[in-house]
Structures are given as C-alpha cells and as structure tokens.
Amino acid sequence: MQGLNGSGFVLSDDEFLFKAPESGYQNSFTVIHNDQVPNYRPQQMLRFYVKTGTGKYAAAEVTISVWGDLSRADFRSILYYNPSGSRNLEFDQDKWINR
C-alpha cells in the first residue's frame, strides 16, 4: 500500500484500534503472501492506523484470504475514521449518525 498526498500508515498489533499514534507513520508498506513459507496460512489479517494528508486519523482491519489453487482471493476491510482530526477512534454510540 502506498499513501498519497502525505498520508501514512503504522502497522499495529493492538487488540482494539482506539487511539492512533502521534508519530511513526510510513508512506508505504508491502505484504507478501507466499504459500511456500513453512508457517503459511491462507488467511492473513492486518491492522493498521492511517494518517491522512490533511491530518485526520483512521484505523483499518484488513483480511486477505486466498482460496484453493491460489486462483481466487477475498479482500475484506473494516475502517474506523474520525473526521474531527482527533486521534481518538473509539466508537461513540451517542454520535452514531446512520442508524
């Protein structure tokens, strides 16, 4: 993945992606899904924080699944975005706008 216009990513092992870090963002990262490595699994989950070029914060959980003879793959993602510019990404039930 490569960020455009000053955006960047920080990979994370956090169980809950509630607070984006202030620093450490890189403008790109690469994931290699190689079925020849000893600990290969057909499904891989990535969790990372995003800082946009305009200084807003988000978090993403991405799952990549490769099936059968490696001819098909699924890509699923969940995104958490705070348009206020705060690093706080925890869901607030009182501010849920699309229910």
XYZ file of all heavy atoms in Angstrom:
804
model
N 0.849 -1.166 0.000
C 0.000 0.000 0.000
C 0.893 1.227 0.000
O 1.946 1.229 0.612
C -0.897 0.006 1.231
C -1.942 -1.073 1.211
S -3.048 -1.004 2.630
C -3.891 0.507 2.342
N 0.437 2.227 -0.662
C 1.188 3.473 -0.696
C 0.243 4.631 -0.438
O -0.814 4.742 -1.052
C 1.870 3.659 -2.042
C 2.704 4.915 -2.078
C 3.619 4.967 -3.286
O 3.728 4.002 -4.027
N 4.260 6.077 -3.470
N 0.642 5.478 0.502
C -0.144 6.661 0.822
C 0.171 7.790 -0.143
O 1.317 7.982 -0.524
N -0.834 8.524 -0.512
C -0.667 9.655 -1.421
C -0.884 10.962 -0.678
O -1.568 11.008 0.342
C -1.665 9.545 -2.573
C -1.580 8.271 -3.414
C -2.701 8.248 -4.449
C -0.224 8.178 -4.090
N -0.318 12.014 -1.203
C -0.521 13.368 -0.678
C -0.188 13.505 0.801
O -0.908 14.152 1.558
C -1.963 13.830 -0.939
C -2.309 13.822 -2.400
O -1.493 14.190 -3.239
N -3.497 13.387 -2.722
N 0.879 12.835 1.246
C 1.329 12.978 2.621
C 0.703 12.030 3.618
O 0.958 12.134 4.808
N -0.123 11.094 3.174
C -0.719 10.146 4.110
C 0.270 9.035 4.456
O 1.248 8.820 3.742
C -2.012 9.554 3.535
O -1.755 8.864 2.340
N 0.018 8.343 5.576
C 0.928 7.299 6.005
C 0.236 6.244 6.843
O -0.930 6.388 7.223
N 0.977 5.169 7.147
C 0.451 4.003 7.844
C 1.366 3.604 8.989
O 2.572 3.766 8.908
C 0.361 2.803 6.887
C -0.287 3.107 5.579
C 0.469 3.438 4.464
C -1.669 3.072 5.456
C -0.121 3.708 3.252
C -2.272 3.341 4.245
C -1.501 3.662 3.138
N 0.772 3.021 10.023
C 1.521 2.384 11.110
C 0.869 1.028 11.344
O -0.305 0.961 11.732
C 1.473 3.201 12.415
C 2.121 2.431 13.553
C 2.138 4.543 12.259
N 1.586 -0.052 11.073
C 1.064 -1.386 11.365
C 0.932 -1.549 12.867
O 1.707 -0.982 13.631
C 1.993 -2.455 10.790
C 1.992 -2.554 9.265
C 3.097 -3.479 8.800
C 0.652 -3.036 8.749
N -0.060 -2.327 13.313
C -0.338 -2.441 14.739
C -0.713 -3.860 15.129
O -1.349 -4.579 14.362
C -1.491 -1.507 15.108
O -1.839 -1.660 16.453
N -0.344 -4.236 16.348
C -0.785 -5.485 16.963
C -1.823 -5.208 18.044
O -2.200 -6.112 18.785
C 0.402 -6.228 17.595
C 1.346 -6.777 16.546
O 0.886 -7.108 15.437
O 2.551 -6.880 16.835
N -2.280 -3.957 18.165
C -3.268 -3.601 19.179
C -4.544 -4.420 18.993
O -5.015 -4.600 17.869
C -3.652 -2.120 19.088
C -2.519 -1.177 19.437
O -1.498 -1.649 19.955
O -2.678 0.031 19.172
N -5.094 -4.912 20.105
C -6.347 -5.653 20.021
C -7.492 -4.732 19.622
O -8.357 -5.093 18.834
C -6.657 -6.323 21.354
C -7.918 -7.150 21.328
C -8.206 -7.865 22.634
O -7.424 -7.733 23.593
O -9.228 -8.560 22.689
N -7.499 -3.536 20.184
C -8.508 -2.542 19.860
C -7.804 -1.313 19.308
O -6.898 -0.772 19.928
C -9.316 -2.166 21.101
C -10.001 -3.342 21.728
C -9.529 -3.880 22.909
C -11.115 -3.914 21.126
C -10.155 -4.970 23.488
C -11.748 -5.001 21.697
C -11.265 -5.537 22.880
N -8.240 -0.865 18.158
C -7.602 0.273 17.490
C -8.318 1.560 17.913
O -9.001 2.202 17.133
C -7.673 0.075 15.974
C -6.971 -1.167 15.446
C -7.298 -1.402 13.970
C -5.470 -1.060 15.638
N -8.137 1.945 19.174
C -8.882 3.070 19.736
C -8.162 4.411 19.647
O -8.796 5.439 19.596
C -9.209 2.820 21.206
C -10.293 1.796 21.434
C -10.393 1.182 22.655
C -11.203 1.466 20.450
C -11.396 0.252 22.898
C -12.202 0.535 20.675
C -12.296 -0.073 21.904
N -6.843 4.416 19.670
C -6.117 5.691 19.706
C -4.940 5.636 18.747
O -3.984 4.893 18.952
C -5.611 5.978 21.119
C -4.979 7.338 21.250
C -5.725 8.155 22.244
C -5.116 9.524 22.353
N -5.807 10.335 23.286
N -5.012 6.419 17.708
C -3.954 6.445 16.706
C -2.687 7.071 17.291
O -2.770 8.036 18.056
C -4.403 7.249 15.488
N -1.521 6.524 16.961
C -0.281 7.114 17.465
C -0.012 8.479 16.825
O -0.516 8.781 15.744
C 0.790 6.101 17.049
C 0.179 5.294 15.969
C -1.292 5.343 16.145
N 0.776 9.291 17.528
C 1.109 10.623 17.016
C 2.145 10.575 15.906
O 2.135 11.413 15.014
C 1.652 11.497 18.147
C 0.623 11.866 19.172
C 1.191 12.797 20.227
O 1.751 13.847 19.848
O 1.071 12.474 21.415
N 3.053 9.593 15.970
C 4.162 9.568 15.011
C 4.466 8.135 14.586
O 3.829 7.190 15.045
C 5.403 10.196 15.647
O 5.780 9.446 16.788
N 5.442 7.989 13.708
C 5.875 6.683 13.242
C 5.229 6.246 11.932
O 5.371 5.100 11.519
N 4.538 7.133 11.259
C 3.835 6.787 10.027
C 4.811 6.689 8.850
O 5.699 7.512 8.701
C 2.749 7.824 9.729
C 1.620 7.771 10.736
C 1.698 8.475 11.935
C 0.506 6.985 10.508
C 0.678 8.406 12.871
C -0.528 6.916 11.437
C -0.429 7.629 12.613
O -1.426 7.541 13.540
N 4.618 5.662 8.019
C 5.402 5.469 6.805
C 4.470 5.673 5.619
O 3.285 5.350 5.716
C 5.935 4.045 6.714
C 6.481 3.474 7.978
C 6.914 2.045 7.742
O 8.076 1.787 7.541
N 5.958 1.121 7.770
N 4.998 6.134 4.493
C 4.106 6.387 3.364
C 3.795 5.131 2.552
O 2.968 5.170 1.654
C 4.635 7.501 2.470
C 5.849 7.080 1.672
O 6.542 6.133 2.022
N 6.102 7.788 0.601
N 4.423 3.981 2.884
C 4.081 2.757 2.166
C 4.478 1.526 2.976
O 5.315 1.608 3.871
C 4.769 2.718 0.805
O 6.169 2.612 0.957
N 3.854 0.406 2.654
C 4.278 -0.888 3.181
C 3.840 -1.968 2.201
O 2.932 -1.781 1.399
C 3.779 -1.159 4.606
C 2.307 -1.404 4.752
C 1.778 -2.681 4.655
C 1.449 -0.360 5.034
C 0.433 -2.909 4.816
C 0.099 -0.581 5.213
C -0.412 -1.865 5.094
N 4.525 -3.093 2.264
C 4.271 -4.208 1.361
C 3.983 -5.460 2.171
O 4.646 -5.723 3.166
C 5.503 -4.466 0.465
O 5.787 -3.274 -0.267
C 5.264 -5.615 -0.497
N 3.006 -6.223 1.733
C 2.678 -7.506 2.344
C 2.910 -8.576 1.292
O 2.403 -8.485 0.176
C 1.208 -7.544 2.806
C 0.850 -8.913 3.340
C 0.956 -6.469 3.831
N 3.706 -9.576 1.651
C 3.956 -10.689 0.737
C 3.245 -11.911 1.298
O 3.463 -12.299 2.436
C 5.465 -10.953 0.594
C 6.127 -9.708 -0.007
C 5.720 -12.192 -0.251
C 7.628 -9.771 -0.034
N 2.377 -12.477 0.514
C 1.592 -13.651 0.920
C 2.138 -14.841 0.127
O 1.707 -15.111 -0.982
C 0.116 -13.388 0.608
C -0.822 -14.210 1.415
N -1.051 -13.976 2.742
C -1.596 -15.256 1.087
C -1.933 -14.837 3.197
N -2.274 -15.630 2.202
N 3.102 -15.533 0.696
C 3.826 -16.585 -0.012
C 3.425 -17.962 0.520
O 3.663 -18.278 1.685
C 5.333 -16.351 0.156
C 6.176 -17.322 -0.610
O 5.711 -18.357 -1.061
N 7.434 -16.992 -0.760
N 2.871 -18.810 -0.334
C 2.425 -20.134 0.102
C 3.571 -21.139 0.259
O 3.350 -22.274 0.662
C 1.364 -20.699 -0.841
C 1.906 -21.034 -2.216
O 2.923 -20.444 -2.629
O 1.307 -21.891 -2.876
N 4.807 -20.729 0.009
C 5.952 -21.624 0.122
C 6.663 -21.537 1.478
O 7.560 -22.317 1.748
C 6.969 -21.324 -0.993
C 6.393 -21.454 -2.388
C 5.852 -22.847 -2.676
O 6.535 -23.840 -2.447
N 4.617 -22.918 -3.154
N 6.264 -20.595 2.326
C 6.907 -20.469 3.639
C 6.319 -21.494 4.607
O 5.154 -21.874 4.485
C 6.776 -19.034 4.211
C 7.486 -18.032 3.323
C 5.343 -18.654 4.421
N 7.098 -21.973 5.583
C 6.636 -23.022 6.493
C 5.387 -22.676 7.310
O 4.553 -23.526 7.548
C 7.826 -23.247 7.417
C 8.997 -22.723 6.678
C 8.497 -21.629 5.795
N 5.225 -21.437 7.729
C 4.067 -21.071 8.558
C 2.946 -20.421 7.742
O 2.146 -19.660 8.274
C 4.501 -20.157 9.703
C 5.104 -18.861 9.195
O 5.409 -18.727 8.015
N 5.282 -17.907 10.076
N 2.859 -20.746 6.463
C 1.837 -20.171 5.579
C 0.423 -20.496 6.068
O 0.134 -21.603 6.482
C 2.000 -20.722 4.151
C 0.858 -20.349 3.248
C 0.773 -19.071 2.714
C -0.153 -21.255 2.957
C -0.286 -18.715 1.893
C -1.210 -20.908 2.137
C -1.273 -19.640 1.611
O -2.319 -19.284 0.806
N -0.428 -19.480 6.040
C -1.858 -19.651 6.298
C -2.606 -18.952 5.169
O -2.208 -17.865 4.747
C -2.245 -19.049 7.635
C -1.626 -19.787 8.796
C -2.102 -19.290 10.122
N -2.348 -17.840 10.110
C -2.507 -17.120 11.187
N -2.446 -17.672 12.361
N -2.717 -15.834 11.119
N -3.690 -19.546 4.694
C -4.406 -18.945 3.564
C -5.165 -17.664 3.919
O -5.706 -17.008 3.050
C -5.366 -20.043 3.113
C -5.529 -20.919 4.289
C -4.251 -20.829 5.074
N -5.179 -17.308 5.204
C -5.857 -16.081 5.607
C -4.902 -15.239 6.450
O -4.245 -15.756 7.350
C -7.104 -16.406 6.405
C -7.949 -15.185 6.698
C -9.244 -15.573 7.366
O -9.253 -15.913 8.534
N -10.326 -15.533 6.610
N -4.832 -13.963 6.134
C -3.957 -13.062 6.865
C -4.735 -11.809 7.238
O -5.440 -11.234 6.411
C -2.757 -12.683 6.006
C -1.765 -11.813 6.709
C -0.498 -11.603 5.890
O -0.390 -12.047 4.760
N 0.460 -10.926 6.464
N -4.596 -11.391 8.509
C -5.256 -10.169 8.963
C -4.198 -9.107 9.244
O -3.178 -9.394 9.859
C -6.075 -10.399 10.216
C -6.719 -9.124 10.715
S -7.543 -9.337 12.288
C -9.201 -8.978 11.801
N -4.451 -7.921 8.769
C -3.576 -6.772 9.024
C -4.384 -5.718 9.762
O -5.552 -5.497 9.459
C -3.080 -6.165 7.711
C -2.302 -7.068 6.787
C -2.126 -6.394 5.448
C -0.961 -7.380 7.400
N -3.728 -5.087 10.701
C -4.346 -3.981 11.427
C -3.377 -2.818 11.359
O -2.191 -2.971 11.635
C -4.607 -4.377 12.867
C -5.454 -5.635 12.945
C -5.624 -6.028 14.345
N -6.864 -5.358 14.705
C -7.535 -5.575 15.800
N -7.075 -6.379 16.697
N -8.655 -4.957 16.032
N -3.898 -1.655 10.993
C -3.013 -0.504 10.909
C -3.778 0.798 11.093
O -4.990 0.865 10.904
C -2.239 -0.494 9.582
C -3.085 -0.588 8.342
C -3.542 0.552 7.706
C -3.394 -1.820 7.796
C -4.300 0.466 6.553
C -4.144 -1.920 6.645
C -4.604 -0.777 6.015
N -3.021 1.788 11.517
C -3.535 3.144 11.638
C -3.166 3.909 10.383
O -2.170 3.624 9.728
C -2.923 3.848 12.851
C -3.348 3.254 14.170
C -2.527 2.381 14.860
C -4.587 3.574 14.721
C -2.911 1.838 16.081
C -4.982 3.034 15.943
C -4.139 2.168 16.606
O -4.528 1.627 17.795
N -3.979 4.914 10.086
C -3.755 5.757 8.910
C -3.804 7.214 9.358
O -4.647 7.596 10.163
C -4.848 5.531 7.842
C -4.614 6.412 6.632
C -4.932 4.068 7.448
N -2.881 7.994 8.831
C -2.948 9.447 8.998
C -3.065 10.023 7.595
O -2.217 9.764 6.741
C -1.706 9.992 9.697
C -1.788 11.486 9.956
C -0.597 11.969 10.759
C -0.713 13.458 11.032
N 0.444 13.958 11.780
N -4.131 10.760 7.347
C -4.347 11.311 6.013
C -3.419 12.496 5.775
O -2.838 13.044 6.720
C -5.811 11.760 5.819
O -6.053 12.914 6.645
C -6.788 10.645 6.149
N -3.322 12.905 4.541
C -2.506 14.059 4.194
C -3.013 15.347 4.809
O -2.273 16.316 4.963
N -4.289 15.367 5.223
C -4.870 16.558 5.854
C -4.852 16.468 7.381
O -5.443 17.307 8.058
C -6.313 16.779 5.371
O -7.094 15.624 5.701
C -6.365 17.045 3.884
N -4.192 15.417 7.919
C -4.033 15.305 9.361
C -5.170 14.618 10.095
O -5.238 14.695 11.318
N -6.063 13.937 9.394
C -7.145 13.174 10.029
C -6.642 11.754 10.294
O -5.700 11.283 9.656
C -8.381 13.120 9.124
C -8.856 14.472 8.623
C -9.534 15.251 9.694
C -9.823 16.657 9.242
N -11.141 16.981 8.930
N -7.275 11.066 11.225
C -6.828 9.727 11.611
C -7.900 8.685 11.342
O -9.098 8.969 11.411
C -6.460 9.703 13.095
C -5.246 10.539 13.394
C -5.379 11.871 13.763
C -3.972 10.010 13.286
C -4.268 12.650 14.036
C -2.850 10.780 13.558
C -3.009 12.101 13.926
O -1.911 12.863 14.183
N -7.436 7.471 11.064
C -8.314 6.333 10.824
C -7.587 5.063 11.250
O -6.387 5.083 11.529
C -8.691 6.252 9.348
N -8.340 3.983 11.300
C -7.756 2.667 11.556
C -8.430 1.692 10.606
O -9.577 1.896 10.196
C -7.982 2.239 12.998
N -7.710 0.636 10.252
C -8.245 -0.360 9.327
C -7.893 -1.755 9.797
O -6.797 -1.988 10.303
C -7.688 -0.131 7.925
N -8.855 -2.649 9.651
C -8.634 -4.077 9.831
C -8.891 -4.708 8.468
O -9.991 -4.600 7.927
C -9.606 -4.661 10.854
C -9.418 -4.122 12.240
C -10.439 -4.697 13.224
O -11.201 -5.609 12.859
O -10.459 -4.210 14.356
N -7.887 -5.337 7.911
C -7.978 -5.911 6.576
C -7.714 -7.407 6.675
O -6.743 -7.826 7.303
C -6.946 -5.250 5.623
C -6.948 -5.922 4.272
C -7.225 -3.765 5.497
N -8.577 -8.201 6.051
C -8.384 -9.644 5.996
C -8.254 -10.052 4.539
O -9.108 -9.717 3.711
C -9.563 -10.402 6.637
O -9.729 -9.939 7.973
C -9.315 -11.896 6.628
N -7.170 -10.755 4.235
C -6.919 -11.270 2.892
C -6.982 -12.789 2.976
O -6.282 -13.397 3.775
C -5.542 -10.828 2.365
C -5.441 -9.301 2.368
C -5.288 -11.394 0.972
C -4.032 -8.789 2.200
N -7.846 -13.397 2.165
C -7.998 -14.852 2.145
C -7.704 -15.360 0.743
O -8.249 -14.850 -0.236
C -9.421 -15.264 2.524
O -9.762 -14.778 3.792
N -6.854 -16.353 0.643
C -6.516 -16.970 -0.632
C -7.124 -18.367 -0.627
O -6.989 -19.112 0.344
C -4.989 -17.049 -0.829
C -4.651 -17.682 -2.156
C -4.376 -15.658 -0.724
N -7.795 -18.740 -1.710
C -8.560 -19.982 -1.732
C -7.995 -21.005 -2.704
O -7.453 -20.657 -3.744
C -10.011 -19.700 -2.100
C -10.622 -18.742 -1.147
C -10.856 -17.415 -1.363
C -11.017 -19.004 0.196
N -11.385 -16.844 -0.240
C -11.504 -17.800 0.733
C -11.023 -20.137 0.999
C -11.983 -17.703 2.019
C -11.504 -20.036 2.285
C -11.993 -18.831 2.779
N -8.170 -22.275 -2.338
C -7.900 -23.421 -3.205
C -6.562 -23.403 -3.903
O -5.513 -23.439 -3.282
N -6.615 -23.318 -5.208
C -5.399 -23.390 -6.024
C -4.730 -22.028 -6.197
O -3.963 -21.835 -7.133
C -5.726 -23.991 -7.388
C -6.719 -23.140 -8.174
O -7.199 -22.114 -7.642
O -7.020 -23.498 -9.322
N -5.036 -21.097 -5.308
C -4.473 -19.737 -5.286
C -4.955 -18.872 -6.452
O -4.393 -17.827 -6.725
C -2.936 -19.781 -5.268
C -2.306 -20.633 -4.179
C -0.783 -20.583 -4.297
C -2.748 -20.190 -2.806
N -6.008 -19.316 -7.130
C -6.519 -18.532 -8.258
C -7.559 -17.502 -7.830
O -7.941 -16.655 -8.628
C -7.122 -19.456 -9.314
O -8.250 -20.130 -8.778
N -8.032 -17.573 -6.566
C -9.027 -16.627 -6.068
C -8.579 -16.071 -4.729
O -7.951 -16.774 -3.935
C -10.372 -17.313 -5.861
C -11.060 -17.750 -7.090
C -12.417 -18.319 -6.776
N -12.616 -18.477 -5.338
C -13.648 -19.055 -4.783
N -14.587 -19.548 -5.512
N -13.765 -19.156 -3.469
N -8.963 -14.850 -4.488
C -8.658 -14.225 -3.199
C -9.805 -13.295 -2.826
O -10.475 -12.731 -3.687
C -7.355 -13.451 -3.269
N -10.036 -13.175 -1.524
C -11.019 -12.233 -0.993
C -10.276 -11.162 -0.207
O -9.258 -11.432 0.428
C -11.985 -12.929 -0.028
C -12.900 -13.909 -0.722
O -13.162 -13.738 -1.916
O -13.355 -14.848 -0.039
N -10.814 -9.976 -0.235
C -10.251 -8.842 0.495
C -11.405 -8.196 1.237
O -12.364 -7.742 0.623
C -9.617 -7.862 -0.501
C -9.017 -6.653 0.126
C -7.692 -6.644 0.502
C -9.773 -5.502 0.324
C -7.119 -5.522 1.072
C -9.214 -4.376 0.896
C -7.884 -4.389 1.266
N -11.340 -8.209 2.573
C -12.381 -7.583 3.397
C -11.740 -6.552 4.305
O -10.630 -6.763 4.796
C -13.102 -8.624 4.241
C -14.006 -9.520 3.406
C -14.594 -10.605 4.232
N -13.544 -11.627 4.310
C -13.489 -12.581 5.202
N -14.388 -12.653 6.128
N -12.531 -13.460 5.190
N -12.454 -5.465 4.533
C -11.886 -4.445 5.416
C -12.974 -3.787 6.262
O -14.131 -3.729 5.870
C -11.142 -3.384 4.614
O -12.040 -2.666 3.803
N -12.543 -3.328 7.421
C -13.369 -2.513 8.304
C -12.554 -1.257 8.575
O -11.380 -1.338 8.933
C -13.671 -3.232 9.628
C -14.443 -4.523 9.363
C -14.450 -2.323 10.573
C -14.618 -5.381 10.602
N -13.172 -0.107 8.385
C -12.476 1.162 8.578
C -13.128 1.960 9.693
O -14.350 1.991 9.819
C -12.510 1.990 7.295
C -11.891 1.337 6.069
C -12.162 2.176 4.846
C -10.414 1.135 6.270
N -12.294 2.587 10.489
C -12.737 3.490 11.549
C -12.102 4.846 11.249
O -10.885 4.936 11.125
C -12.262 2.999 12.919
C -12.640 1.572 13.207
C -11.777 0.538 12.896
C -13.866 1.267 13.782
C -12.121 -0.781 13.155
C -14.220 -0.056 14.046
C -13.342 -1.069 13.724
O -13.677 -2.365 13.979
N -12.921 5.882 11.136
C -12.421 7.194 10.732
C -12.997 8.261 11.646
O -14.188 8.235 11.966
C -12.827 7.458 9.279
C -12.502 8.834 8.769
C -11.189 9.218 8.559
C -13.510 9.745 8.485
C -10.893 10.481 8.080
C -13.217 11.009 7.999
C -11.905 11.365 7.803
O -11.610 12.605 7.332
N -12.152 9.192 12.067
C -12.618 10.303 12.878
C -12.440 11.587 12.080
O -11.319 12.067 11.917
C -11.849 10.385 14.199
C -12.476 11.384 15.145
O -13.175 12.288 14.730
N -12.219 11.205 16.424
N -13.524 12.167 11.562
C -13.401 13.363 10.728
C -13.009 14.623 11.497
O -12.677 15.628 10.902
C -14.792 13.509 10.113
C -15.707 12.820 11.061
C -14.898 11.706 11.675
N -13.015 14.570 12.841
C -12.701 15.757 13.631
C -11.208 16.075 13.654
O -10.814 17.181 13.999
C -13.185 15.577 15.072
O -12.323 14.703 15.776
N -10.369 15.081 13.342
C -8.927 15.280 13.433
C -8.340 14.729 14.717
O -7.136 14.682 14.889
N -9.180 14.274 15.639
C -8.715 13.681 16.886
C -8.130 12.295 16.615
O -8.565 11.593 15.703
C -9.890 13.556 17.860
O -9.561 12.736 18.959
N -7.167 11.893 17.425
C -6.589 10.550 17.316
C -7.493 9.499 17.953
O -7.258 8.310 17.802
C -5.200 10.514 17.958
C -4.194 11.380 17.221
C -2.784 11.294 17.784
N -2.705 11.639 19.183
C -2.315 10.806 20.159
N -1.936 9.583 19.880
N -2.281 11.200 21.409
N -8.546 9.920 18.645
C -9.489 9.004 19.279
C -10.362 8.356 18.204
O -11.108 9.031 17.500
C -10.366 9.748 20.283
C -11.369 8.841 20.961
O -11.323 7.627 20.823
N -12.279 9.439 21.699
N -10.290 7.023 18.089
C -11.054 6.291 17.088
C -12.082 5.353 17.715
O -12.688 4.538 17.028
C -10.100 5.499 16.194
C -9.064 6.356 15.462
C -8.033 5.481 14.782
C -9.736 7.284 14.470
N -12.296 5.487 19.017
C -13.253 4.625 19.699
C -14.679 5.029 19.320
O -15.024 6.202 19.323
C -13.066 4.710 21.217
C -13.892 3.715 21.970
C -13.528 3.649 23.439
O -12.679 4.436 23.904
O -14.098 2.807 24.139
N -15.496 4.031 19.008
C -16.876 4.272 18.604
C -17.666 4.899 19.745
O -17.579 4.469 20.888
C -17.528 2.955 18.182
C -18.953 3.118 17.748
C -19.251 3.708 16.540
C -19.991 2.688 18.558
C -20.569 3.866 16.136
C -21.308 2.841 18.169
C -21.605 3.427 16.957
N -18.439 5.926 19.428
C -19.297 6.587 20.416
C -20.749 6.392 19.999
O -21.210 6.985 19.019
C -18.955 8.075 20.487
C -19.732 8.810 21.572
O -20.738 8.268 22.083
O -19.331 9.943 21.907
N -21.463 5.555 20.732
C -22.852 5.223 20.444
C -23.734 6.475 20.328
O -24.650 6.527 19.515
C -23.396 4.315 21.562
C -24.821 3.903 21.399
C -25.019 2.820 20.357
O -24.101 2.064 20.055
N -26.200 2.760 19.793
N -23.427 7.508 21.107
C -24.245 8.726 21.091
C -24.058 9.553 19.832
O -24.851 10.439 19.555
C -23.903 9.588 22.313
C -24.285 8.912 23.614
O -25.218 8.079 23.611
O -23.632 9.197 24.645
N -23.018 9.265 19.050
C -22.764 10.036 17.836
C -22.962 9.199 16.572
O -22.516 9.577 15.506
C -21.354 10.605 17.871
C -21.160 11.607 18.984
C -19.782 12.158 19.007
C -19.608 13.124 20.166
N -18.260 13.638 20.260
N -23.660 8.080 16.693
C -23.917 7.194 15.564
C -24.898 7.882 14.616
O -26.039 8.153 14.990
C -24.479 5.894 16.094
C -24.604 4.795 15.112
C -24.208 4.749 13.807
C -25.197 3.507 15.367
N -24.478 3.550 13.246
C -25.110 2.757 14.190
C -25.777 2.933 16.469
C -25.587 1.470 14.076
C -26.255 1.648 16.368
C -26.157 0.927 15.192
N -24.493 8.199 13.397
C -25.301 9.015 12.501
C -26.121 8.240 11.462
O -27.025 8.782 10.869
C -24.433 10.063 11.771
C -23.374 9.372 10.921
C -23.824 11.042 12.746
C -22.587 10.310 10.028
N -25.808 6.982 11.240
C -26.507 6.270 10.155
C -27.342 5.094 10.671
O -27.362 4.038 10.089
C -25.522 5.803 9.098
C -24.503 4.826 9.646
O -24.364 4.674 10.850
N -23.767 4.179 8.763
N -28.079 5.285 11.725
C -28.922 4.198 12.230
C -30.348 4.398 11.853
O -30.841 5.403 11.563
C -28.765 4.008 13.721
C -28.928 5.251 14.540
C -28.726 4.933 15.981
N -28.087 6.097 16.574
C -27.975 6.287 17.833
N -28.381 5.394 18.663
N -27.403 7.341 18.320
